Amino acid sequence: MLFFKLINSSFRRNGKAYGPYLLATSMLVAINYIFAAIGVNHSPHRLASSSATTAMINISANFILMVTFAFLLYVNRFLWQQRSSELGLYSMLGMTSRNLDILTVIEKVYLFIGSIVCGLVTGVIFERLAFLGLGRLLKVHNLKQPWIEPAVLGKTILYMGGFFVILMVVDLVKLHRLNPNQLWHATAPAPKRHGWLFKLLGLLGIVLLAGAYYITLTTKPQISAFSNFMTAVLLVVAGTYLLFIAGSVIILQFLQRQKKFYYRPRHFIAISGMLQRMEQNGASLATICLLCSAVLVALFSSITLYAGIGDTVKLYAPKDVVMITNQPVTRRQQGVIESVAKNHHAKITSQTSYQATTTQNGYWRGQHFINQGSLEHMTNKTTNSVIFVSSHDYRKITGKPAHLRDNQALIYSPAKQHTGQVTIAGHRYQAKNLSQLSFAFNPEHSIYAPAFVIVNHLPAGLPKMNVTGFNYRLKGSDRQHIRFENDLQAHLQLANMQLTGRYNIHYLFNSLYGGMVFAGIMISLALGITTTIVIYFKQISEGYADQYRFKTMQQAGLSKRETTKSIHSQVLMVFMLPIAGAVINLLFAIPAIKQIMTQLSFYNLQLMITVAVAITAALMVIYLLIYGLTTRVYHQIVDNIH
Amino acid sequence: MTLLQLNHVQRTYNANSTHPVTALKDISFTVDRGKYVAIMGESGAGKSTLLNIIATLEQPTGGQAILNSQDLGALTKDDAARYRREHLGFIFQHFNLLDSLSNRDNVYLPLVLAKTDPAVMAQRLQPLMKRLQIAQIIDRFPSEISGGQQQRVAIARALIAQPDLLLADEPTGALDSNTSAEILDLFDDVNENGQTILMVTHSAAAASHAKRTLFIKDGRIYHELFRGDLTMKKYQEEISDTMMTLTNGGE
């Protein structure tokens, strides 16, 4: 049949556009399927953090679905550019608009079937791999996964089908609003003149970005840190768009007015070309920038959290088991511990106990710690907490004397140092920094990690607690360790807050953060594919636009090598803008993320920097690779005229 | 004094294939400085190939093209580019202005490529703006002005580098007759100021403005007409007649 013949030949002719498009949609279908399939799997439900993990996977699945839809809408524009002149020609040759409708419908059905079949096959194959990966991250070994989840298969087909129907409607509406001639010659947009409003928007963009960066730089580890961060994200999104669309044009126009600078061959071509590109592509460059930023931030936070699990666990449970009781451990309790240990064939070692004040929450005003008391009294000003330990107990546990006078104190505070004259709980101390404290921990598991203050006499009037900790040796699986810890807690009749077992905590964090890393990687993958294709189509469409510019400049006396060089450097510059913006965004996000991490009892700055540098470098390499590959296609297009 | 000299120029495409196409078989003519020459012929006669060879965009496969005692066939690609911007000015049917540049910057393009001082560029533009009447539109963009105005800007771009030879490829092909007449009058004016012009066209009206017309058919010079003392109208009729004979395959 004629229609199918026409479509087939069109697919073959426009392989440069359709090939990558199909590849990208298939991969997005696959990722959507994988996520949905994991979401309905029952194995993770047995995890301690199953509700949190499942919720996270579901939120990520919805997010990726949204990304997929946005991507399809966006890329459809480029495909339309390729198709419209073809449809225009058919129309001029006498096809009715009904015929064109049929062609459009066939095209979309083809694309839909192609991406669904390839995508689901890939999805089914890689789902097992993804699931194994998830299992590894969660440190769960007995995950069960059927080969195919038919319900999810159906759901994915339904969603994608819906998306393609929307795309089809969009194309059909466009088709009916244009006459054959308009289809045939897509009109080139005229350069715009910008009034004061435009300048104002550019300035607003800068102001918004500055505001966002100010927020991230001044974020304190308060309960509001996360919402502050989200505010900053919103500001960055708006600011980046405004800056790329308006700000860049303003800067380039300023450069254009510097005659001595502008009228040099390199600058002349670069500035005018960039100006035009920014006018047309400011929004897509901003999108690329934000996508890259999102990838960086998502990977950075999830990987640092996951890598820092060991540190965090240590802060929640400095010993294998830590108990917090009002009174010292009684003889009866000690008996319970020993009998449970015996039942589980566990050997208890290095048991210690000491007395301390309960965690005092509050915030620092200069060198004054404003004490708000227990966690119930916290406000949105709360940022810190302190625990007093007597120098006697300090010596008992560490074996080292503290050598303190009554007005002196040693302060162990990994988040922020406090030395010199400090006032805490109404007492003035001459404080010295303590760089290490083996038994420091976070007894309340709160977001305000405590500073430990070693003094000769615990301040009167503050409630006290007894901290007892011990390690144990047990031959057996993680599961048996966990069972022992749970048994111990049950027999001692202690609440969750009073007894912390290291294996339990480790298991909890692994399942929680492991799920997060998994979601982070999958989202990054989806965003990465999207970004790649956006870049690719930008290169293609710019290649076609530059064809004639290339030619004219050569006629005016620019050598081929000079032209290639200047266009190359200009394309590279335009390309580097988004990634540079993304790295800047990450740099400014780190202080805020660090504060949020502090709340999750994570202080390892060095690890954070390592992760940040590693993922930035990795992204750069991938980005340049994409740039190189797509630039080759670009050159093929541009050189075609010769 | 001879500016341009073509000696038995040949151009064959796909010489090694089974179907070589010979666009130019044997072309020889000379153009003196200050002359205004039109080249006529039907589509496919080899006009564009000839122009491309003189424009250094293509190399002849046989014979010699010498401009200003420079053998154009001996130029490397990069030398050719430099030669173009120093010695040649181009005018095209579709104007070929860059839409990313304002009209002023389009005119400046060859000078910028030649690394000219901005003050000199402004100085050179001044008289051209007056002569071509583009002072009002100079700071607009090509997409904002009419076709005739775009062609004026293109002429300014071709003239600003003060080329030895102005090459025009169907300069009125995309314009209506009134605008065409205006542009052709401008060409006359430019030529009277001493500029050598070589114009390729298949419009008899356009060719009638030139002092001499060469007719090309099947890659050879078929005929040659000089205006002499004829009125433009009479000369145009003569050109039309020649074209008619040419088309009908007459002697």
Side-chain angles (χ1 to χ4, degrees):
Chain A
M1 197 177 144
L2 175 70
F3 287 130
F4 288 99
K5 246 188 200 155
L6 284 175
I7 287 285
N8 283 338
S9 77
S10 157
F11 270 98
R12 228 169 297 128
R13 238 191 345 270
N14 297 321
K16 269 203 179 83
Y18 281 118
Y21 177 81
L22 270 178
L23 193 68
T25 47
S26 311
M27 282 174 85
L28 286 174
V29 168
I31 292 178
N32 273 305
Y33 170 76
I34 289 172
F35 249 102
I38 288 173
V40 300
N41 190 276
H42 288 289
S43 301
H45 287 276
R46 289 201 300 272
L47 290 175
S49 61
S50 76
S51 56
T53 309
T54 313
M56 199 153 49
I57 298 273
N58 283 337
I59 290 172
S60 311
N62 287 334
F63 178 72
I64 288 181
L65 205 63
M66 264 162 52
V67 169
T68 309
F69 183 53
F71 164 83
L72 286 174
L73 268 184
Y74 183 82
V75 173
N76 197 43
R77 248 186 27 195
F78 287 103
L79 280 187
W80 174 257
Q81 279 171 6
Q82 306 257 319
R83 300 263 305 136
S84 69
S85 65
E86 213 168 84
L87 292 177
L89 178 64
Y90 296 152
S91 167
M92 279 191 231
L93 293 176
M95 274 204 183
T96 62
S97 57
R98 224 188 132 60
N99 295 146
L100 294 183
D101 289 352
I102 294 174
L103 271 181
T104 307
V105 171
I106 295 178
E107 183 221 8
K108 286 287 174 283
V109 169
Y110 260 40
L111 288 177
F112 169 67
I113 292 175
S115 32
I116 273 290
V117 170
C118 298
L120 288 181
V121 168
T122 321
V124 167
I125 292 170
F126 281 94
E127 195 234 337
R128 282 189 92 73
L129 189 69
F131 211 71
L132 278 176
L134 177 65
R136 252 190 108 76
L137 285 171
L138 300 180
K139 302 242 160 71
V140 183
H141 305 295
N142 52 346
L143 290 178
K144 279 205 195 68
Q145 177 73 344
W147 265 105
I148 291 174
E149 296 274 6
V152 175
L153 222 57
K155 215 173 90 181
T156 313
I157 294 175
L158 207 68
Y159 274 123
M160 294 305 291
F163 290 164
F164 272 94
V165 166
I166 295 173
L167 294 184
M168 200 167 73
V169 170
V170 169
D171 274 9
L172 289 178
V173 168
K174 264 194 212 163
L175 197 61
H176 283 264
R177 280 178 38 197
L178 295 173
N179 66 35
N181 225 345
Q182 285 168 319
L183 280 173
W184 177 236
H185 299 289
T187 44
K192 291 164 230 123
R193 282 166 194 287
H194 307 292
W196 58 271
L197 189 69
F198 194 75
K199 284 199 177 117
L200 201 71
L201 287 178
L203 272 176
L204 185 67
I206 295 170
V207 170
L208 288 180
L209 278 181
Y213 294 158
Y214 177 78
I215 290 177
T216 59
L217 288 180
T218 55
T219 299
K220 292 203 178 91
Q222 294 165 345
I223 192 84
S224 56
F226 191 71
S227 61
N228 277 345
F229 187 70
M230 290 324 280
T231 315
V233 167
L234 287 182
L235 290 182
V236 164
V237 169
T240 306
Y241 272 106
L242 288 177
L243 189 70
F244 270 89
I245 293 169
S248 57
V249 172
I250 293 169
I251 293 169
L252 288 167
Q253 280 176 340
F254 169 78
L255 288 177
Q256 215 172 25
R257 280 195 294 274
Q258 313 307 309
K259 290 211 175 351
K260 289 268 181 205
F261 176 82
Y262 176 53
Y263 288 120
R264 304 255 63 96
R266 284 286 287 268
H267 302 160
F268 186 69
I269 297 162
I271 292 175
S272 61
M274 274 177 77
L275 197 56
Q276 195 184 35
R277 283 204 162 78
M278 296 315 286
E279 297 246 4
Q280 290 166 5
N281 298 319
S284 54
L285 285 176
T287 310
I288 294 175
C289 174
L290 290 173
L291 286 174
C292 288
S293 311
V295 168
L296 281 179
V297 169
L299 278 182
F300 173 73
S301 352
S302 47
I303 291 178
T304 26
L305 271 181
Y306 190 73
I309 286 177
D311 288 14
T312 311
V313 166
K314 215 170 149 220
L315 218 70
Y316 277 25
K319 296 219 164 192
D320 288 353
V321 175
V322 177
M323 295 182 293
I324 296 160
T325 45
N326 294 329
Q327 302 298 325
V329 173
T330 60
R331 199 173 286 275
R332 194 189 65 77
Q333 283 172 316
Q334 191 64 39
V336 171
I337 293 172
E338 271 154 28
S339 73
V340 174
K342 205 168 178 184
N343 285 343
H344 286 264
H345 307 291
K347 194 168 173 333
I348 294 193
T349 56
S350 52
Q351 182 168 347
T352 54
S353 66
Y354 62 93
Q355 197 180 44
T357 63
T358 57
T359 314
Q360 301 299 308
N361 295 287
Y363 53 94
W364 288 89
R365 185 188 289 152
Q367 294 290 75
H368 280 251
F369 182 75
I370 313 295
N371 189 5
Q372 296 172 308
S374 71
L375 211 50
E376 294 98 75
H377 302 297
M378 83 172 183
T379 61
N380 58 14
K381 277 186 160 175
T382 315
T383 55
N384 292 81
S385 60
V386 293
I387 291 174
F388 285 94
V389 178
S390 71
S391 53
H392 174 257
D393 279 344
Y394 174 76
R395 182 176 182 172
K396 194 171 90 186
I397 306 167
T398 62
K400 282 182 287 185
H403 295 305
L404 288 174
R405 263 180 258 146
D406 282 359
N407 65 340
Q408 287 180 325
L410 284 174
I411 300 187
Y412 171 75
S413 171
K416 190 170 183 259
Q417 282 188 19
H418 294 283
T419 51
Q421 281 291 336
V422 296
T423 309
I424 307 172
H427 294 262
R428 286 166 71 87
Y429 298 104
Q430 182 65 36
K432 275 197 289 189
N433 186 50
L434 190 61
S435 58
Q436 257 200 324
L437 189 69
S438 57
F439 61 89
F441 79 125
N442 186 350
E444 288 184 324
H445 303 174
S446 77
I447 60 174
Y448 314 115
F452 276 72
V453 183
I454 318 290
V455 291
N456 279 347
H457 306 288
L458 298 185
L462 292 182
K464 311 274 189 305
M465 61 177 178
N466 282 281
V467 181
T468 309
F470 57 83
N471 294 333
Y472 65 90
R473 275 209 305 276
L474 192 155
K475 272 197 196 122
S477 64
D478 289 2
R479 187 165 283 275
Q480 280 165 301
H481 284 80
I482 289 168
R483 214 173 286 143
F484 168 61
E485 286 171 6
N486 291 344
D487 243 14
L488 203 58
Q489 185 180 355
H491 282 92
L492 286 169
Q493 291 171 317
L494 291 174
N496 269 333
M497 272 288 122
Q498 290 179 293
L499 187 137
T500 309
R502 187 177 275 177
Y503 272 87
N504 263 304
I505 288 288
H506 213 289
Y507 181 63
L508 185 74
F509 279 146
N510 253 327
S511 58
L512 196 63
Y513 294 166
M516 230 148 114
V517 174
F518 182 76
I521 289 174
M522 291 304 256
I523 287 177
S524 304
L525 201 63
L527 293 181
I529 293 168
T530 318
T531 318
T532 310
I533 292 299
V534 169
I535 290 173
Y536 178 81
F537 279 97
K538 247 176 64 59
Q539 288 274 58
I540 286 191
S541 61
E542 279 178 11
Y544 286 119
D546 283 344
Q547 256 183 4
Y548 101 100
R549 201 171 304 148
F550 219 102
K551 201 171 154 191
T552 305
M553 283 204 276
Q554 286 181 5
Q555 284 162 340
L558 198 64
S559 72
K560 194 168 173 171
R561 209 175 33 181
E562 286 172 303
T563 320
T564 314
K565 222 167 79 186
S566 78
I567 287 193
H568 223 105
S569 70
Q570 172 193 337
V571 171
L572 184 64
M573 250 197 284
V574 173
F575 255 75
M576 286 322 280
L577 278 179
I579 191 83
V583 172
I584 292 173
N585 280 343
L586 175 67
L587 282 182
F588 278 101
I590 285 177
I593 296 176
K594 182 172 169 273
Q595 298 301 345
I596 295 172
M597 297 283 187
T598 304
Q599 301 183 338
L600 301 169
S601 305
F602 179 85
Y603 306 107
N604 196 337
L605 189 64
Q606 206 187 343
L607 179 66
M608 261 189 199
I609 292 170
T610 314
V611 171
V613 169
I615 56 171
T616 307
L619 188 76
M620 283 285 208
V621 169
I622 294 172
Y623 194 81
L624 284 178
L625 216 64
I626 294 168
Y627 164 77
L629 286 176
T630 53
T631 303
R632 264 187 42 194
V633 178
Y634 172 89
H635 270 290
Q636 280 168 9
I637 293 171
V638 171
D639 283 344
N640 237 349
I641 49 170
H642 299 291
Chain B
M1 201 184 101
T2 306
L3 177 69
L4 175 69
Q5 188 176 3
L6 271 71
N7 294 329
H8 308 289
V9 166
Q10 256 188 16
R11 180 71 171 106
T12 308
Y13 294 100
N14 305 327
N16 297 325
S17 75
T18 47
H19 302 289
V21 179
T22 308
L24 297 180
K25 288 189 180 121
D26 179 11
I27 302 270
S28 300
F29 66 91
T30 59
V31 177
D32 287 348
R33 210 173 272 281
K35 289 295 191 303
Y36 184 177
V37 179
I39 295 175
M40 286 197 80
E42 299 198 288
S43 304
K47 294 187 310 256
S48 300
T49 310
L50 180 61
L51 195 74
N52 279 343
I53 285 176
I54 299 171
T56 73
L57 293 169
E58 273 179 47
Q59 304 251 334
T61 47
Q64 263 188 322
I66 298 167
L67 180 66
N68 222 349
S69 61
Q70 165 70 52
D71 181 359
L72 299 181
L75 292 169
T76 66
K77 273 194 173 168
D78 287 359
D79 287 341
R82 203 167 309 119
Y83 191 82
R84 276 202 294 280
R85 74 176 173 235
E86 283 165 13
H87 300 282
L88 297 172
F90 291 91
I91 294 163
F92 305 93
Q93 178 175 8
H94 294 292
F95 327 129
N96 291 16
L97 297 175
L98 293 177
D99 57 3
S100 59
L101 297 177
S102 71
N103 293 329
R104 178 189 295 277
D105 290 347
N106 262 298
V107 176
Y108 283 167
L109 181 65
L111 293 186
V112 173
L113 295 181
K115 304 195 170 89
T116 316
D117 184 64
V120 176
M121 300 198 294
Q123 216 176 0
R124 286 223 204 148
L125 179 62
Q126 210 54 43
L128 280 176
M129 278 201 302
K130 214 190 263 165
R131 237 164 79 201
L132 300 167
Q133 298 166 343
I134 49 172
Q136 264 92 46
I137 52 156
I138 197 72
D139 283 315
R140 290 202 221 158
F141 280 86
S143 55
E144 298 170 322
I145 59 177
S146 73
Q149 287 171 323
Q150 288 192 47
Q151 195 60 300
R152 286 165 188 267
V153 172
I155 294 172
R157 179 180 67 185
L159 291 179
I160 198 158
Q162 299 169 339
D164 296 329
L165 180 63
L166 183 65
L167 295 170
D169 187 1
E170 300 280 6
T172 58
L175 300 173
D176 64 66
S177 59
N178 284 334
T179 321
S180 294
E182 280 172 33
I183 294 293
L184 289 169
D185 286 344
L186 269 177
F187 271 64
D188 290 350
D189 179 45
V190 166
N191 176 239
E192 270 156 34
N193 280 303
Q195 176 68 56
T196 320
I197 302 177
L198 188 70
M199 173 168 68
V200 165
T201 181
H202 54 225
S203 146
S208 68
H209 281 255
K211 306 235 175 64
R212 173 186 172 200
T213 304
L214 295 167
F215 294 88
I216 296 190
K217 189 182 181 182
D218 299 330
R220 289 177 205 279
I221 294 187
Y222 172 84
H223 192 61
E224 189 173 5
L225 280 180
F226 288 90
R227 180 165 157 193
D229 296 328
L230 292 175
T231 61
M232 200 181 283
K233 197 158 184 288
K234 198 88 186 118
Y235 185 47
Q236 188 178 337
E237 276 168 19
E238 215 172 296
I239 293 172
S240 294
D241 290 344
T242 313
M243 271 307 280
M244 194 75 93
T245 327
L246 192 86
T247 312
N248 296 336
E251 57 78 60

